[in-house]
Amino acid sequence: MTPNAETALAEDTQAPVGPDGTRVRLRAEGVRLGYGERVVVDDLDLDVLQGTVTAVIGPNGCGKSTLLRALGRLLRPTRGHVLLDGRKIDEMPTKQVATVLGLLPQAPTAPEGLTVGDLVARGRHPHQAWYRQWSGDDEEAVAEALAWTGISDLAERPVDELSGGQRQRAWISMALAQGTDLLLLDEPTTFLDLAHQVEVLELVERLHEERGRTVVMVLHDLNLAARYADRLVAMKAGRIVAQGEPADVITEPLLREVFGLEAKVITDPVAGTPLVVPVGTR
């Protein structure tokens, strides 16, 4: 955990804990979310526990990305609240949130010609102020983030010239330089081939295991979600249908209910996690 995150947690004695005593980093309490008059998510409760990787799954249009936007303070609930370490996230200063929580939107874009090094350096903006400009600590954080994601040799390359997998590594590197210990990823494997999907998710797994990041990500591939997440949250029509460990969520009745999919669930011979073998749709 970063010093900033440790300070934020230490200062907040009201942060809730889950049933097993684990700290709740993000909590959605009875949230209603939508765009204009259209309600997408309604009366939803969710706890994101410290030190977990949570994958949100569900059919297109069920509210997965909308929920992630609310957890990242990009969308304000019309009812209910989102709490970050026990505090209402929409009442916290923007810079304070940005030193604790990082959000990578679906298919992020960078200005034309922006280099990888400059993109990653933007992750240090929350730590800047009129009395504290770019410093050696910032330089070190950027260099470490580039090295940790294996793209130091790409620092001078324009982001728009990278392959899809390299581009995702660059964006994750920016989030790493930001120094947050809570990371939200909206479909980080979109438009990537299978090899690069696995590459990105293995990087997320390392972020969790070696750097202690708490991660929430939206994924479409059920088998990858079951393999790389500790907890799954299954959504349908703006509501949570099931949540828990992958083996408890990925079941044949749930696949039928949530996705309208007839499938067999077997054990992944490599990871030992649930493996969905489709039979067909209803």
Side-chain angles (χ1 to χ4, degrees):
M1 186 179 298
T2 64
N4 285 327
E6 288 176 347
T7 300
L9 290 175
E11 290 176 349
D12 183 8
T13 59
Q14 302 303 314
V17 295
D20 63 352
T22 304
R23 182 181 294 272
V24 176
R25 299 304 313 280
L26 277 170
R27 169 171 284 177
E29 294 184 339
V31 297
R32 173 181 288 178
L33 306 168
Y35 305 95
E37 297 298 317
R38 183 168 67 95
V39 176
V40 178
V41 171
D42 196 20
D43 196 27
L44 183 143
D45 297 315
L46 176 67
D47 283 349
V48 175
L49 303 179
Q50 170 72 27
T52 59
V53 176
T54 301
V56 184
I57 60 174
N60 289 340
C62 71
K64 302 184 300 294
S65 294
T66 298
L67 172 61
L68 202 74
R69 286 172 56 82
L71 294 177
R73 210 177 79 157
L74 294 183
L75 181 64
R76 187 168 186 169
T78 56
R79 180 182 297 173
H81 304 284
V82 172
L83 306 178
L84 173 59
D85 295 325
R87 299 175 60 187
K88 293 180 181 178
I89 195 170
D90 56 356
E91 296 179 358
M92 297 174 64
T94 299
K95 276 198 171 185
Q96 183 179 1
V97 173
T99 58
V100 178
L101 183 151
L103 171 64
L104 292 186
Q106 184 180 152
T109 58
E112 185 177 355
L114 186 74
T115 68
V116 171
D118 287 339
L119 173 68
V120 177
R122 292 188 173 199
R124 301 302 297 167
H125 285 182
H127 303 275
Q128 307 299 312
W130 67 267
Y131 55 84
R132 183 195 180 282
Q133 300 302 310
W134 190 262
S135 69
D137 289 342
D138 297 315
E139 198 74 42
E140 182 178 344
V142 169
E144 181 185 5
L146 288 167
W148 202 87
T149 53
I151 57 171
S152 297
D153 59 328
L154 302 177
E156 301 304 319
R157 288 269 302 276
V159 176
D160 51 16
E161 292 182 4
L162 301 181
S163 69
Q166 290 171 330
R167 191 177 298 116
Q168 284 298 74
R169 280 182 172 268
W171 285 101
I172 291 173
S173 186
M174 184 193 73
L176 188 58
Q178 190 175 333
T180 64
D181 73 322
L182 182 56
L183 188 59
L184 309 183
L185 306 172
D186 191 0
E187 300 189 29
T189 58
T190 298
F191 307 126
L192 300 182
D193 59 39
L194 183 58
H196 285 110
Q197 290 179 42
V198 171
E199 179 183 272
V200 167
L201 291 175
E202 286 182 344
L203 178 57
V204 171
E205 185 176 56
R206 287 183 57 215
L207 276 170
H208 169 243
E209 293 181 352
E210 299 177 22
R211 304 300 294 262
R213 296 311 196 257
T214 299
V215 181
V216 184
M217 54 186 174
V218 171
L219 289 178
H220 275 292
D221 190 302
L222 301 180
N223 292 330
L224 291 179
R227 177 178 286 199
Y228 289 100
D230 305 315
R231 295 181 58 80
L232 298 182
V233 175
M235 293 184 63
K236 178 183 180 181
R239 296 180 182 274
I240 294 176
V241 176
Q243 58 181 309
E245 296 182 1
D248 297 328
V249 175
I250 301 296
T251 64
E252 293 171 12
L254 180 127
L255 295 172
R256 195 175 300 116
E257 176 187 358
V258 173
F259 296 94
L261 178 67
E262 292 295 335
K264 296 295 183 182
V265 177
I266 62 176
T267 300
D268 185 323
V270 174
T273 51
L275 184 68
V276 177
V277 181
V279 174
T281 57
R282 285 197 294 234

